[in-house]
Amino acid sequence: MTLVKSRLQIAGFAAVIFALSAVFLVSRAVELDRAIYVLPKQVIRLERSLGYDGFIHNFKNGVLRRDEEYFTKAERNYDEIVATLTRISLTAQSVGLQADFTSLEDTLSDYRVMIDEARQLQLTGKSAAEVDARVRLSDIDAAENIRAFELQLINAMQGRRWLLVTVGGGCFAAFVLTLLLLTVTLVRLLQTAEKARVKARESEATLLQAERIARLGHWKVLKNGALKTSKSMREILAFSSSEGPDTLEKFFSLMSDADREKLESRMSKSGHQREPYTCFHKIRIADGSELSVVNTGEPVIDGQGEIYGFVGIIQDISRTIDLENELRQSQKMEAVGNLAGGMAHDFNNILAVILGNLELMETTDQKESHSRYRTSAIQAAKRGAEITKNVLSFARKSHLEPQLLDGNSVVREVLTWAERLLPANIEIQTSLLGSIWPFLADDALTKSALLNLLLNARDAMPDGGRLTIETANVRLDDEYLGERNEHIKPGRYIMLAISDTGSGIEPQHLKEIFEPFFSTKQVGKGSGLGLSMVHGFMKQSGGAVQVYSEIGTGTTFKLYFKAAGQAASFDAMPVMETRTARADHSKVLLVEDNAELLKPLAEMLTKAGYSVTTAKSGDEAFTTWSDLRDFDAVVTDIVMPGQLQGTHLAKEIRAVDPTVPIVFMSGYASEAMIHGNGLMPEDCRLMKPVGRAELLAAIGMVLEGKQGKETALSDAET
């Protein structure tokens, strides 16, 4: 395109030159034609002014007749001859001819002298014959000079005319050719421009199609705050051309205050630093729903370095987020399947221990042996509860019992019973800060997390090494947390760090070590749940875990607990105090779908002095309650077969009698929140497995609460 334009400019310049040349030559040809017409007349006039009708005639009459009037006429003829010669010279010069008047001018000069000489001779008394003999004038030389001059002019004019016609014709031909070249070039240029326009329209259509497919739109903000949006962006926002936001302020009004503040901050920072920005936020579209978008832009800078606006793109990523959530859910379900397999293996071993000891109790009558078997069975059962607790910790739904802890005391206590797990070739060092801040966390799970890390360090040093435990007070700011992608609040934290001098962790494994069932150990050397449980526990406790490793040097795990003054809120249930069992035969409706669990629970309550009625489902329980309606409390599982879950059962009972106290039991920490709206703030929730003391304390507490309500109502009626 640039080459075509250059050629077009050159051809245009040449055409102008040829056109001007042709015009000049034509004008010269016109002047030459005029000269060809004028010069012969001027030559004829010259001949007449000089011949026998002019100068020569009057001169001879003046000599022969001795009449002064003829000499005066001859002088006038002479002046006319000189004037005619001057005109002929100017006309010839105007067409570029050089006329040679030398001979003619010499002859005329002689003629002028003869006039003066003839007058002098007449004054001296000479006769006419004597004067004529002395000043006889011949017109032969003058006539020959005039004819020679005339021939010279004719030849020169003919040659010049041929030259002008030839050159003029060439210029005209060149002008025509140049115009033809200009026309061809212009046509090609127009064709090229049309192709470029078609290609640009196709590219624009492709771009708009790509924007539509990618849910992408572009925008521009001017210095005065006016907003220009593309068609695809208006389609994303579901606005028409007249309804869409046309100012930056109107665009901001489509966002929540938090998202608006975030986007304004990013744009302001981008303007100060003269660099692009990216911001994820939600935006409200025309139908009132919200989209998740990624907004990317950069400032537009003029020649003086001033910012006069912003340009950028906006992309709807709502579907991408939905797909990520679906993938995350799929991965979660896969992890749950793996977790179920791991738990089944461990519980089979535990159940084998319990079953074996119970069978031994049936085959022997020695009570002292019974005690030993019971002890083994109880320990196995507690181990099963511990596994459940650890798995819930991995899922971040463990029943936490947070309390104020001292990091140094936790470390010392763990070391007292963990040192026997470490071989003699591992040297243990501690660096404990004297004024460590207290922190709020579950004591048992905190110690379990430390134990997991100690065993991890042991396995990383099969040939021995050094293990260092450190405590410290730290302050984490936004920059530190942002660099490590930690989603916890900045502030004061207590750090518990465990470092080893083992082989280190491969870089490609660092992002996988907290995944459930991931392990680089040999089969049978680890389940891969330890670090994932630590990670889940720390997240549930409002803290974080960081790992640093270098191949051949070692690994450091750092646990960050929120300092007591800024402790996060945990999803823990209050610890209930042990109460004395009521012996007044209060009636309790016990609902549990597991018959093996229902029987021991009922026996516990019966031995404690309660009158117990059992039901194996929520539907059966509601029928029983509706028939009798004389129960002092209801103890129910949450997840059961049938139409009525535990929370639904509570809702139905309270619709008839809102004073009935209800105790909920569940094997899942968040089950009550998931399955219904039948819970009340004063309800007790127990995590399975439920111990005897905990169950009796819960029932005693709710019965005391009921008695207090009844007393208050009675006083109010009185």
Side-chain angles (χ1 to χ4, degrees), residues 348-358 373 376-377 380:
N348 282 335
N349 292 335
I350 293 170
L351 292 175
V353 174
I354 298 174
L355 182 62
N357 282 278
L358 293 177
Y373 298 149
S376 297

Side-chain angles (χ1 to χ4, degrees), residues 28 74 88 126-127 192 211 219 290 348 359 499 535 618 621 699:
R28 298 295 290 175
I88 291 173
K126 298 289 185 180
S127 64
T192 303
E211 285 187 350
W219 52 265
E290 284 190 335
N348 282 335
E359 288 177 345
S499 304
H535 185 262
I699 297 176

Side-chain angles (χ1 to χ4, degrees), residues 19 30 37 44 53 84 90 96 189 323 331 355 469 556 591 655 688:
V30 171
Y37 175 76
I44 292 172
D53 291 334
T84 302
L90 292 175
L189 184 62
L323 292 175
Q331 292 173 336
L355 182 62
I469 304 178
T556 297
V591 190
K688 293 181 179 179

Side-chain angles (χ1 to χ4, degrees), residues 1-10 185 188-189 192-193:
M1 181 64 72
T2 303
L3 181 61
V4 173
K5 288 183 178 180
S6 300
R7 290 179 178 177
L8 189 63
Q9 291 174 351
I10 294 173
T185 305
R188 290 182 59 189
L189 184 62
T192 303

Side-chain angles (χ1 to χ4, degrees), residues 391-554:
V391 171
L392 288 174
S393 176
F394 153 68
R396 305 181 195 177
K397 296 186 180 297
S398 175
H399 165 46
L400 299 182
E401 296 180 359
Q403 54 185 291
L404 278 179
L405 299 178
D406 177 85
N408 294 342
S409 300
V410 171
V411 171
R412 293 189 187 100
E413 186 175 347
V414 171
L415 285 179
T416 56
W417 46 267
E419 285 182 343
R420 64 178 180 270
L421 300 176
L422 303 177
N425 59 357
I426 293 181
E427 177 188 357
I428 301 176
Q429 294 182 351
T430 58
S431 176
L432 307 180
L433 183 66
S435 55
I436 194 74
W437 295 326
F439 64 94
L440 194 63
D442 186 287
D443 180 53
L445 291 180
T446 301
K447 293 172 182 176
S448 177
L450 286 177
L451 179 60
N452 266 312
L453 297 179
L454 287 174
L455 297 180
N456 233 43
R458 178 199 64 185
D459 295 339
M461 299 182 291
D463 299 325
R466 185 173 63 255
L467 189 149
T468 304
I469 304 178
E470 177 186 3
T471 61
N473 297 329
V474 296
R475 294 182 183 273
L476 305 183
D477 55 19
D478 288 318
E479 182 178 0
Y480 178 90
L481 297 174
E483 290 175 352
R484 289 155 180 81
N485 197 28
E486 285 292 352
H487 302 288
I488 58 176
K489 295 181 179 180
R492 300 189 309 159
Y493 286 82
I494 289 81
M495 182 195 71
L496 301 181
I498 296 179
S499 304
D500 63 61
T501 57
S503 57
I505 303 174
E506 294 288 344
Q508 66 268 24
H509 293 155
L510 280 176
K511 294 183 179 180
E512 301 176 284
I513 59 174
F514 294 118
E515 295 296 326
F517 308 106
F518 173 81
S519 178
T520 58
K521 301 174 184 178
Q522 298 178 358
V523 177
K525 297 295 185 180
S527 65
L529 280 173
L531 289 180
S532 62
M533 290 177 179
V534 172
H535 185 262
F537 163 64
M538 293 304 299
K539 290 297 182 182
Q540 189 182 8
S541 300
V545 55
Q546 288 285 324
V547 57
Y548 309 87
S549 186
E550 187 174 342
I551 297 298
T553 301

